[in-house]
Amino acid sequence: MKRYSRTFELRWSDADANGHIRHTVYAELGAEVRIAFLRDAGFDWKAFSAAGIGPVLLREQLDYLHEIGMGERVTIDLAAVGLSPDGGRWILRHDVYKQDGALAARVVVTGGWIDLAARRLTTPPEALARHMAELARAEDFRELPSLKRS
């Protein structure tokens, strides 16, 4: 299982009036890491469009642990907390680390793949399901139920 991460330098525009990083930046950077993970394996927006699917979030939870200020560098990793055997559902976690290694925040997202024509959850192409299954698993990983077929 591969660990995936990206490092970012936080900009002036990422800060709020108190001088620390705005709450929405954590979610935005988590999305950047998830999309980079997909894109680096060949699943860019053209591939999603051709397959008629896209990622969709059903829930997002953020826990703030240590303040991060403008100009600081953070590393954000990606791990699977849950995956369904059919690849249709997932729970992913981003741990946000300060440059000194302190865990500053945690972002957990629950989602799946939406069929862009039917507008409902679907299973991904086999290559995408395999790529997701190769993601590093969190210590509290669990198997999620597969999508129900109607």
Side-chain angles (χ1 to χ4, degrees), residues 2-22:
K2 55 184 164 184
R3 179 178 182 269
Y4 191 86
S5 66
R6 287 282 185 261
T7 299
F8 301 89
E9 184 171 332
L10 299 167
R11 307 161 304 166
W12 175 84
S13 61
D14 295 327
D16 65 13
N18 295 321
H20 60 246
I21 300 308
R22 293 180 290 109

Side-chain angles (χ1 to χ4, degrees), residues 55-76:
V56 63
L57 294 187
L58 305 171
R59 181 172 193 245
E60 186 169 36
Q61 176 183 335
L62 283 86
D63 294 312
Y64 308 101
L65 306 170
H66 291 285
E67 183 178 42
I68 301 173
M70 164 178 52
E72 289 190 57
R73 284 189 172 274
V74 294
T75 299
I76 303 173

Side-chain angles (χ1 to χ4, degrees), residues 9-108:
E9 184 171 332
L10 299 167
R11 307 161 304 166
W12 175 84
S13 61
D14 295 327
D16 65 13
N18 295 321
H20 60 246
I21 300 308
R22 293 180 290 109
H23 64 284
T24 57
V25 171
Y26 295 90
E28 291 166 1
L29 292 178
E32 289 292 330
V33 172
R34 290 190 304 278
I35 296 304
F37 170 73
L38 296 169
R39 185 190 62 237
D40 288 354
F43 300 104
D44 60 12
W45 288 115
K46 289 180 183 177
F48 282 122
S49 180
I53 66 168
V56 63
L57 294 187
L58 305 171
R59 181 172 193 245
E60 186 169 36
Q61 176 183 335
L62 283 86
D63 294 312
Y64 308 101
L65 306 170
H66 291 285
E67 183 178 42
I68 301 173
M70 164 178 52
E72 289 190 57
R73 284 189 172 274
V74 294
T75 299
I76 303 173
D77 69 10
L78 175 62
V81 176
L83 297 170
S84 63
D86 65 1
R89 299 176 191 267
W90 36 263
I91 301 173
L92 304 176
R93 179 167 59 220
H94 300 285
D95 286 334
V96 180
Y97 295 98
K98 294 172 64 93
Q99 205 163 353
D100 67 3
L103 180 62
R106 178 167 277 167
V107 181
V108 179

